[in-house]
Amino acid sequence: MNGYLTVKNLSVSLPNGVRILRNVSLDVAAGQVHGLVGESGAGKSMIGKAVLGTLPHKIEITGGEIWMDGVDLLKLTPKERRKKIGAIAALIPQDPLTALNPSKRIGPQITSRLVEILGWSQQNATARAIELLEQVHIPDPARVMRSYPHELSGGMRQRILIASAFAAEPKLIIADEPTTALDVTVQKQILKLIAHMQARHGTALLFVTHDLGVVSKVCDTLSVLYAGKIIENANMRRFFTRPIHPYSRALLAATPTYTNPDSLLTSVSDEIVEGLANEIHYHDIRNTL
Amino acid sequence: MIYRVKDLRLSFADMARKPLVGRAPRIEVLKGISFDIPKGAVLGIVGGSGSGKSTLGRAMLRLIEPDTGKIEFDGVDITHAPEATLRPMRHRFQMIFQDPMSSLNPRQRVGTIIASPLRLQGLDGIGARVDEALDMVGLPRSFAKRYPHELSGGQRQRVGIARAIALRPDFILADEIVSGLDVSSQAQVLSLLDELVRELGLTLAFISHDLSVIRRLCSDIIVLHHGEIVETAPTAQLFNAPQAAYTRELLDAIPLPDPDQAWA
Amino acid sequence: MRDARGDMRRPLGLRLWLSGGWLALLVLGAVFAPVFAPQDPLAQDLFASRLPPFWVEGSEAGYPLGSDSLGRDVLSRMLYGAQLALIVALVAGTLTCLIGATLGLIAGYYRGWPDLIISRFIEIWMAFPPVLFAILLIAVLGTGLSSIIIAIVVIDWTRFARVIRAEAMGESAMDYVASAQVSGRPRFSTMLKEILPNVVPTIVVLLTLEMGIAVIVEAILSFVNLSISTDSPTWGSMISEGRTSVHQAWWVLIFPLFALFLTVLSFSQLGEGLKDRFDPVLR
């Protein structure tokens, strides 16, 4: 496993012992898009947070390694870690509404990270911000820079967040359900934009989502997560034509597709859930904390 | 006809643009909506955010009052009827809400939540009805003692359904009820709704932004865009031969789990 | 279903015990003051003046916490002073809560005209400087227990009203309230049965906070001799008198001050602890 981001046997738990991630291993190759699929509560956001060092208070990493750009982040001191992550990684968050500071104009929100943390000059940072706003097809970037978040639509805000993420030329971006809160037509635009920006900047992208339809449009490879455990890893084409694990097959079957007039929405059957529970149980016994 | 809506118009005051002196300008949310819902139909109401679909739903349930136009429920004009007139009728048209977190009172037990409308309508045999409602939505009877925060999103949504059907209404409006749920919970809730419509002879209006979900459930569809109906059609026809440009845009935007989908 | 905050509850439990414990002690002391007090709180004995507390040399039995310059027993005066403090806390606190929370609830839920009137009322009312207002009020009503209580209520009800109004507004926007309307619940019933239970945790916290404030306000008023008649012992007047003899008899100042501090602290901690106990969501 030799990706730009390599997670090896990562385990995360609550202090009372409840496991959130179970020996998660995945690989994001440089310049590739890797999807992380799972239902809500599966723990997919937690992986992103563990990598970026933003796990909620009290939730702890109990084992494993996180290799980014040749360095195991977990072996660094918190300060070194923050510096390293700040320099090469960025996040595209889920909710464009709450991710932007409502009392600050857009301009400072994009440039402040460049100026204060990465030491750019204000002039360079502003020029860079405008350049990126153009790349994400925002009309009249100068005016938008002076606007407040509430004056802009959800789609626009998400574009700004995408521009912001690419601003410092990160080597890795984690996109945490970036289109879940958006309308289907806006989602299409944003997905295409993310794919375009990723290709243009050659960034490695970890794309977290619960929507298999979305995965098939942006990802090169993917992992399926259930209850904190990776169930299947695959490259995209293989996954959609020949899914291996019964859970993967059930997920595909349960995804609504309107094209098949007889498509029955099936849910994940009880046998599969039971099978999964056994897998998890077996894993936990072999890996007592 | 269960519902007849004629030329419905509704606007809100735009408080953000209110001048210091004088009234705030109005934002038109519904710009002349007309449609009918025959008894037993399952009508899909589709639109993006800002289309007015939620407002339409709330107007149909008379949670808000329209400016002009007419809403008739089973022949009765409810457009501007005061709450006192509506109350005795309320058990006949019910609503299931989008957000399973905020639609259940966090400090009431599930049993109370379901029983409350029954009590208000002065029905008896409430305990039995609550049990029956829970059975019908596939939840164990013991859930009646639990609080909403002890349930998952899908389970909470089913409680919302139980609450609506306990009254044996003629009509139910489901406002984006599966949008916050993951795929398998979605499928369960939709199957449940499908079953209930058949078992209880309900008429249903299903608001959603997700066409895939609509197709599964609905017999007819209206497409809303910026407060206006841009297309009305039976389901199969809408999907096979969409007329309006916006409808086609909606259909094209859906990402299917298929790597070969032409998704330009 | 436990959540990750489950293990935070241990310190809360301790908090509840300590604050509840002190307040229970206070209540006991106040109620049974005639039994526990070693002396008559008003009895002056110039031969027993400025006696130190029992652990210091020179103390006398019968004056466990010492005596003041007029020979009055500190402990006895504190116990009787506690009576006043608690009565003010309970009565003023509860009345303020009732008036403020009710108006806030109505304004927040009904909005429209009731809100316009109540909100304007609150704004105008809050424009009066509170201390001046209190002094003015007492000048008009005269000193005495009921005057203090009225003064506190009159000044502080707006605190409740504003907070509860905001909470009620927030809850009113929730779908379960719309659901109540769809079920045919009349508005007044919705306010009582749906909104109020969700606002109670905040009310509990504010109420205990208010009790603490009431105690302090009374102490301040008696400090400046605007409280009840100057004969009866109050913590505030004890502190006032204790100031003048702090170098010779520090205990006259320190003990009532300490009691005041502990009492106010206990009230606020009690509120925090109780709120979580009674809230099924946080349990």
Side-chain angles (χ1 to χ4, degrees):
Chain A
M1 296 230 262
N2 217 348
Y4 185 78
L5 169 71
T6 301
V7 175
K8 261 201 208 139
N9 293 327
L10 183 66
S11 287
V12 169
S13 321
L14 289 179
N16 60 15
V18 170
R19 293 172 209 259
I20 297 181
L21 294 177
R22 296 171 151 96
N23 271 338
V24 166
S25 294
L26 56 83
D27 230 22
V28 184
Q32 295 274 292
V33 181
H34 185 83
L36 185 56
V37 187
E39 301 180 84
S40 42
K44 27 188 217 301
S45 283
M46 286 297 168
I47 295 179
K49 292 198 175 128
V51 169
L52 292 175
T54 56
L55 279 175
H57 182 50
K58 296 243 172 180
I59 295 185
E60 294 156 8
I61 299 180
T62 54
E65 301 155 15
I66 301 179
W67 290 83
M68 204 194 295
D69 198 21
V71 175
D72 181 0
L73 294 178
L74 298 179
K75 297 255 181 346
L76 300 175
T77 67
K79 194 162 168 194
E80 287 170 339
R81 206 173 145 193
R82 254 175 283 142
K83 258 192 98 180
K84 181 90 184 158
I85 293 174
I88 55 180
L91 173 74
I92 300 176
Q94 173 171 353
D95 189 354
L97 192 61
T98 55
L100 289 170
N101 187 334
S103 52
K104 276 170 84 170
R105 293 180 204 267
I106 299 297
Q109 298 201 43
I110 304 178
T111 57
S112 72
R113 189 162 149 255
L114 297 172
V115 171
E116 287 161 32
I117 303 183
L118 297 172
W120 289 35
S121 75
Q122 183 62 53
Q123 217 178 357
N124 285 346
T126 308
R128 175 76 170 157
I130 295 192
E131 183 194 335
L132 279 156
L133 288 179
E134 280 167 355
Q135 281 184 22
V136 297
H137 305 307
I138 286 188
D140 201 356
R143 189 183 61 86
V144 168
M145 292 275 281
R146 289 193 304 271
S147 309
Y148 286 98
H150 66 266
E151 296 171 343
L152 308 166
S153 70
M156 277 261 248
R157 281 189 282 233
Q158 194 59 304
R159 285 171 198 274
I160 290 171
L161 288 170
I162 293 171
S164 221
F166 281 97
E169 288 292 356
K171 299 286 188 1
L172 169 75
I173 287 185
I174 298 186
D176 188 358
E177 307 233 35
T179 57
T180 299
L182 302 172
D183 258 3
V184 73
T185 45
V186 180
Q187 169 175 268
K188 182 174 181 178
Q189 295 165 3
I190 297 291
L191 286 177
K192 290 172 79 171
L193 180 62
I194 293 179
H196 168 74
M197 293 288 277
Q198 184 271 331
R200 179 178 178 154
H201 293 259
T203 322
L205 187 69
L206 179 64
F207 196 104
V208 179
T209 178
H210 66 274
D211 188 337
L212 283 173
V214 166
V215 165
S216 71
K217 302 292 164 277
V218 269
C219 301
D220 302 309
T221 51
L222 67 117
S223 304
V224 179
L225 196 69
Y226 180 86
K229 187 169 180 302
I230 300 270
I231 301 293
E232 185 168 348
N233 277 313
N235 88 24
M236 203 258 291
R237 188 153 284 277
R238 203 275 290 151
F239 181 81
F240 284 97
T241 49
R242 267 180 307 120
I244 297 179
H245 196 281
Y247 178 65
S248 307
R249 275 182 267 139
L251 261 189
L252 268 172
T255 305
T257 64
Y258 68 85
T259 47
N260 181 358
D262 298 320
S263 84
L264 272 177
L265 284 179
T266 57
S267 52
V268 181
S269 74
D270 292 333
E271 293 94 57
I272 295 181
V273 173
E274 223 181 281
L276 282 166
N278 285 334
E279 266 188 64
I280 304 278
H281 185 58
Y282 188 46
H283 165 276
D284 287 351
I285 293 180
R286 279 186 309 168
N287 292 278
T288 40
L289 286 172
Chain B
M1 285 299 157
I2 285 272
Y3 260 99
R4 290 201 105 104
V5 175
K6 274 219 255 303
D7 208 28
L8 197 65
R9 284 176 197 276
L10 214 157
S11 57
F12 289 123
D14 184 358
M15 295 313 282
R17 283 186 180 59
K18 185 179 185 310
L20 203 54
V21 178
R23 305 189 60 199
R26 313 287 294 182
I27 307 181
E28 268 204 283
V29 179
L30 297 176
K31 300 174 187 164
I33 306 266
S34 303
F35 62 93
D36 294 330
I37 309 182
K39 188 158 165 46
V42 179
L43 177 72
I45 303 176
V46 174
S49 49
S51 59
K53 55 189 196 304
S54 278
T55 309
L56 176 60
R58 283 177 188 241
M60 284 169 72
L61 271 274
R62 277 304 316 284
L63 286 167
I64 45 185
E65 197 178 329
D67 296 339
T68 62
K70 194 151 97 139
I71 307 177
E72 249 180 49
F73 174 73
D74 203 16
V76 178
D77 186 344
I78 61 170
T79 324
H80 300 287
E83 192 59 39
T85 317
L86 291 170
R87 205 165 293 134
M89 287 175 62
R90 282 234 175 253
H91 69 279
R92 301 185 59 202
F93 49 107
Q94 286 295 301
M95 183 164 174
I96 312 170
F97 296 85
Q98 171 175 5
D99 184 0
M101 300 277 282
S102 74
S103 60
L104 306 179
N105 189 330
R107 286 176 175 80
Q108 284 179 359
R109 291 181 209 266
V110 164
T112 313
I113 291 174
I114 301 177
S116 169
L118 299 169
R119 259 188 267 272
L120 285 165
Q121 293 288 332
L123 300 168
D124 46 33
I126 290 186
R129 286 177 191 256
V130 171
D131 283 340
E132 201 185 5
L134 285 170
D135 289 341
M136 279 200 278
V137 300
L139 287 174
R141 292 185 179 189
S142 59
F143 271 34
K145 296 204 182 47
R146 296 209 190 169
Y147 283 98
H149 66 274
E150 298 176 70
L151 270 48
S152 73
Q155 289 167 337
R156 273 187 280 223
Q157 211 54 309
R158 283 196 261 172
V159 171
I161 297 175
R163 172 173 58 188
I165 59 172
L167 282 167
R168 292 280 190 280
D170 300 317
F171 171 82
I172 291 187
L173 180 85
D175 186 358
E176 300 256 29
I177 63 176
V178 293
S179 306
L181 304 178
D182 55 43
V183 160
S184 52
S185 303
Q186 253 191 40
Q188 284 171 359
V189 169
L190 289 171
S191 294
L192 174 63
L193 218 51
D194 202 28
E195 222 180 275
L196 288 172
V197 164
R198 273 178 284 125
E199 256 179 57
L200 302 174
L202 291 169
T203 308
L204 195 70
F206 193 91
I207 300 179
S208 179
H209 66 274
D210 189 341
L211 274 167
S212 334
V213 156
I214 292 251
R215 171 150 219 189
R216 172 77 174 80
L217 214 56
C218 305
S219 54
D220 298 86
I221 302 180
I222 61 178
V223 180
L224 236 57
H225 187 52
H226 291 325
E228 290 174 313
I229 296 183
V230 297
E231 187 161 353
T232 308
T235 307
Q237 185 185 316
L238 193 101
F239 281 91
N240 293 330
Q243 302 292 309
Y246 180 65
T247 312
R248 269 174 280 156
E249 208 185 302
L250 274 181
L251 284 171
D252 289 340
I254 299 177
L256 299 171
D258 172 9
D260 295 321
Q261 177 189 12
W263 205 57
Chain C
M1 202 172 95
R2 291 200 67 189
D3 79 0
R5 292 173 299 174
D7 56 344
M8 259 170 40
R9 289 184 54 228
R10 245 166 280 127
L12 267 182
L14 186 65
R15 203 199 311 212
L16 199 56
W17 282 118
L18 286 180
S19 59
W22 168 255
L23 289 173
L25 208 66
L26 204 63
V27 169
L28 265 177
V31 168
F32 293 108
V35 173
F36 290 136
Q39 311 286 339
D40 178 342
L42 302 172
Q44 302 179 13
D45 182 358
L46 292 169
F47 290 108
S49 89
R50 303 227 177 123
L51 294 170
F54 69 90
W55 63 85
V56 178
E57 224 198 277
S59 67
E60 261 181 44
Y63 296 87
L65 291 181
S67 63
D68 65 11
S69 357
L70 293 178
R72 300 176 294 190
D73 174 39
V74 168
L75 179 61
S76 308
R77 289 175 66 76
M78 275 179 60
L79 286 173
Y80 279 90
Q83 283 182 348
L84 180 67
L86 286 173
I87 292 177
V88 172
L90 267 109
V91 177
T94 311
L95 271 175
T96 314
C97 172
L98 275 171
I99 296 177
T102 305
L103 287 175
L105 195 61
I106 294 174
Y109 175 66
Y110 281 95
R111 308 301 305 280
W113 284 112
D115 185 19
L116 247 87
I117 296 178
I118 294 178
S119 290
R120 287 297 89 72
F121 193 36
I122 293 176
E123 281 161 27
I124 295 175
W125 201 274
M126 289 185 83
F128 288 116
V131 175
L132 228 55
F133 202 17
I135 295 178
L136 218 73
L137 218 58
I138 297 201
V140 168
L141 297 171
T143 57
L145 185 56
S146 40
S147 303
I148 307 176
I149 293 179
I150 294 177
I152 294 175
V153 172
V154 152
I155 293 167
D156 250 5
W157 70 270
T158 55
R159 175 200 315 273
F160 271 91
R162 283 179 64 161
V163 175
I164 301 300
R165 172 179 176 272
E167 290 263 324
M169 274 169 62
E171 294 297 316
S172 300
M174 296 270 158
D175 279 341
Y176 69 82
V177 175
S179 174
Q181 184 179 353
V182 167
S183 306
R185 196 186 273 290
R187 299 192 76 183
F188 188 70
S189 172
T190 302
M191 189 180 79
L192 281 183
K193 296 252 170 72
E194 305 274 350
I195 309 255
L196 183 57
N198 284 295
V199 169
V200 159
T202 308
I203 293 182
V204 166
V205 174
L206 283 179
L207 177 62
T208 51
L209 199 71
E210 190 61 41
M211 289 186 182
I213 291 174
V215 170
I216 292 218
V217 170
E218 189 285 315
I220 293 176
L221 287 175
S222 57
F223 189 84
V224 297
N225 282 323
L226 275 179
S227 182
I228 56 176
S229 65
T230 44
D231 262 9
S232 319
T234 73
W235 291 353
S237 58
M238 287 174 76
I239 294 174
S240 170
E241 286 158 13
R243 264 172 54 241
T244 54
S245 53
V246 69
H247 294 295
Q248 301 90 358
W250 55 266
W251 47 92
V252 184
L253 171 67
I254 297 299
F255 287 127
L257 193 61
F258 192 55
L260 189 63
F261 167 73
L262 262 182
T263 306
V264 176
L265 187 66
S266 296
F267 270 124
S268 64
Q269 294 305 302
L270 184 71
E272 282 297 321
L274 277 182
K275 171 183 92 155
D276 290 346
R277 287 267 134 192
F278 285 110
D279 194 350
V281 178
L282 291 174
R283 251 194 263 133

